Structure formats: structure tokens, C-alpha cells
Amino acid sequence: MAGPEDQDGFGPLDQAAGLRRWAARHGADAESIVAAPSVAAPSSDIAGTPRPTLMVVGLPSGSRRLERVREALRRWRANGHAWVGDPARWQLVALAEDSPHLHTLACQQPRWGLWVEGDPDGFRRAYRCLRRLRESGGPIRLLVVHPGFVSHAGLLDNLRQAASAFLGIELLLLTERPAGPRG
């Protein structure tokens, strides 16, 4: 009997090719397809060191969506989060929360991010995305990526509490400092 990852005809060893074919059928953007992780070989840059991969769910559509995540990485690096390293080295993969490959990728990829938009419906969309992740066997620990909320009070804290209490999902929030001169 075929496992869940074989139901679409793409075996686990050919997952990257399967993701590309699926993305082509469903109209995923080219940067997501190129950045699809491979089971056979870890991604690396020219120097041969592994590039960290961040799978991101909840991103709005648009050509700049992955650049917005990279901007958040730059901001976090500037805020003293040294683990980020060079934001340009990160391999970013946008993934829909209803992807048929979600469970398999959740088992393979250790770093996941949830995009939370700063508009009035941002909480609602993020919570709905988390609920779909939970129902689909997605990741249960995600880094909250956002356009730059200085305070976690309100939207982000409420989202973290609701995700934990109702879905059993842990959301990680990074400390942000306001932009401007530092003394």
C-alpha cells in the first residue's frame, strides 16, 4: 500500500521534482519552485556550507512576498539577533497551508515561519492558516514573521495565546526595537 507521500505518484525520493510539477499545475511562483527543498541533497552555497531554509506559510500573493520575509530577516539581524547571519543566504520557500505536501515537508524541514500581516484582518487570516496547518499535520512550532510590529502586545500575543490554547501550536516571537537612532 502506498504511503501518503506516494498518493500523487511522486515518491519520497523524487519529492523535489514532484513539488515542481505540482507547483507548475497550481501556478506557484517561480522563486518557490526553484527553492523547493530536495530530499536527495541538502541545499548549499558555492562555499559548500548549508543554507538555512525557512518554509513560510500565510504569505499574501504578489511578486514581493518572499522579499518581505527577507526584509524581516534583515530587520531582526539589525536588532541584534545574530543567529540570522546573512539574510541573503536564507533559502525562503512560500508554501500554501493547504499544500498536499505539507505533512511530508513538516517532517523534513525544521524551520517554519507564519506570516502575519499588519492590517485589521491579519489576526483572522493567521489563525485560520494555523488551524489549517493543524488539521493537515503541519508544523507545530513556527516563527512569527511580520512587517515590523514593535510591540507584541495585542495582535501577536493574542495570536500566540490562541494558537497554544486551542491548537497546540507554539509561536515564537522575536523582540523588536523601534527604528531610529540608537544610543
Side-chain angles (χ1 to χ4, degrees), residues 12 17 27 38 46 58 73 76 84 92 110 117 122 141 162 164 167-168 171 175:
S38 170
I46 295 173
L73 291 171
W76 291 336
V84 172
L92 303 175
E117 194 63 57
R141 188 171 197 222
S164 177
L167 302 172
L171 296 180
T175 304

Side-chain angles (χ1 to χ4, degrees), residues 31 54 64-90 92 115 143 145-148 174-177 182:
E31 189 169 355
L54 181 64
R64 284 195 71 242
R65 62 191 196 156
L66 289 174
E67 182 54 32
R68 295 178 79 191
V69 175
R70 198 162 314 279
E71 288 170 3
L73 291 171
R74 285 186 203 107
R75 192 178 65 248
W76 291 336
R77 175 73 175 146
N79 274 291
H81 297 286
W83 61 266
V84 172
D86 179 5
R89 290 193 62 245
W90 282 80
L92 303 175
W115 180 263
L143 175 66
V145 187
H146 52 82
L174 295 180
T175 304
E176 299 262 348
R177 291 190 301 234
R182 290 183 170 76

Side-chain angles (χ1 to χ4, degrees), residues 29 31-32 35 37 52-60 64-70 72-73 76 90-99 102 105 109-117 129-130 133 139 141-146:
D29 64 51
E31 189 169 355
S32 296
T53 299
L54 181 64
M55 308 294 291
V56 186
V57 293
L59 282 166
R64 284 195 71 242
R65 62 191 196 156
L66 289 174
E67 182 54 32
R68 295 178 79 191
V69 175
R70 198 162 314 279
L73 291 171
W76 291 336
W90 282 80
Q91 180 173 313
L92 303 175
V93 180
L95 188 69
E97 65 269 15
D98 60 353
S99 168
L102 183 68
L105 289 169
Q109 296 296 323
R111 294 178 202 92
W112 287 79
L114 169 70
W115 180 263
V116 178
E117 194 63 57
C129 178
L130 289 171
L133 288 177
R141 188 171 197 222
L142 297 98
L143 175 66
V144 175
V145 187
H146 52 82

Side-chain angles (χ1 to χ4, degrees), residues 86-163:
D86 179 5
R89 290 193 62 245
W90 282 80
Q91 180 173 313
L92 303 175
V93 180
L95 188 69
E97 65 269 15
D98 60 353
S99 168
H101 302 287
L102 183 68
H103 179 71
T104 302
L105 289 169
C107 294
Q108 294 173 350
Q109 296 296 323
R111 294 178 202 92
W112 287 79
L114 169 70
W115 180 263
V116 178
E117 194 63 57
D119 65 355
D121 289 328
F123 175 89
R124 180 184 52 79
R125 282 191 309 272
Y127 186 79
R128 186 175 48 218
C129 178
L130 289 171
R131 194 177 68 227
R132 286 182 185 147
L133 288 177
R134 187 64 175 159
E135 293 167 355
S136 302
I140 58 169
R141 188 171 197 222
L142 297 98
L143 175 66
V144 175
V145 187
H146 52 82
F149 301 122
V150 174
S151 173
H152 292 168
L155 174 68
L156 296 181
D157 273 341
N158 290 344
L159 184 61
R160 177 173 46 185
Q161 290 170 5

Side-chain angles (χ1 to χ4, degrees), residues 17-43:
L19 284 171
R20 284 187 203 80
R21 286 191 293 253
W22 178 86
R25 281 198 311 261
H26 291 84
D29 64 51
E31 189 169 355
S32 296
I33 297 167
V34 171
S38 170
V39 175
S43 62

